[in-house]
Amino acid sequence: MDQAETRLRQAVAILRITLGVILLVTWWKNLQDGIYTADGIVGLFNYLFNDNGGGPAFYQAIINGTILQVPGLFAIFQLIGELLLGLGLLVGLFTPLVAVGAALFFFNLFLAYFGGNEWIWTYVLLTVSALVTALAQSGRAWGLDSLVLRRLGEPPIGPIW
Amino acid sequence: MSIQAPLWPIAGARAIIGLLWLFSLRWKLPPDFMPSEGRGLMDWLELEVTHAAFPLYGTLVEQLVIPNFTLFAWAIFLAELIVGLSLLTGAFTRFGAFIGLGLAVNLGIGLLEVPGEWPWSYAMLAMWHGLFFVTRAGRVWGLDALRARN
């Protein structure tokens, strides 16, 4: 690995670690604010769709027909999912899979806030960052994926680490 | 062992962040640097004074930038235009990324305590410009690659 290559991987690793920290800090704040409860999830989407004025009609219809039918169940899924995404990115384990999950999550936020009062580019930045983290397999620098790679070699089915 | 990290995703991100800067020009267009509706550059500068995270920064904006608004507004407009075009096209990318890093850090410091702003946005923006700088991101899908070839 030449110097430029090393620098590239390490630069994206910093991005990955930052995404992990952002997810974990937000997770902790959401936990304290009671977002990961049925009432919290209903309140969140109420804010997004009514107070903030975001979310295209098709997106609101999907959320109303799925998540808001079982907010308590979704709250548990969100509690565990966001924690796992944050930890996975922070330590760089199975980074491509975790980062694609994070990109989908961030893209979901992009849709939820689209057309509202917030600066929508925040969610573009987050989604792009997660996608680049996945494509660069950035857990191979300063991440546990480097240990997995050394022990098991290249993944047998697609870029898992 | 494959350890090749592709540069094209970073080149894609570079172009998207170039677009981000160009889109952000919409609400600070000369001659009055105000959009037809919503907040303009002066409104944001006043918010930076009212909600200054660092008193020295607030004082600087209040006593230096706002009294010379037209001069600074042109400087900000041109800087963002240059960064946007540089990153979008991949021309003089390290220069564009360096200026963009300064703009992002300035935004982060100025808007840190402004209600409704999320400081992580500017941290990420700054980080991306640092990444473009160190990886020389114009080498792929950029005019810097053509310059290097010639």
Side-chain angles (χ1 to χ4, degrees), chain B residues 6-30:
Chain B
L7 193 57
W8 68 263
I10 290 175
R14 187 203 74 222
I16 290 170
I17 291 175
L19 284 176
L20 176 157
W21 285 112
L22 295 176
F23 266 91
S24 299
L25 292 176
R26 282 183 314 155
W27 51 267
K28 54 174 85 77
L29 290 173

Side-chain angles (χ1 to χ4, degrees), chain A residues 1-14 141-142, chain B residues 5 10 94 131 133-136 139:
Chain A
M1 188 157 55
D2 66 21
Q3 201 180 353
E5 190 74 22
T6 306
R7 208 162 42 197
L8 177 78
R9 274 206 188 282
Q10 290 172 344
V12 183
I14 294 172
W142 299 341
Chain B
I10 290 175
R94 296 191 91 186
L131 203 151
F133 185 83
V134 298
T135 59
R136 293 180 289 136
R139 287 179 294 155

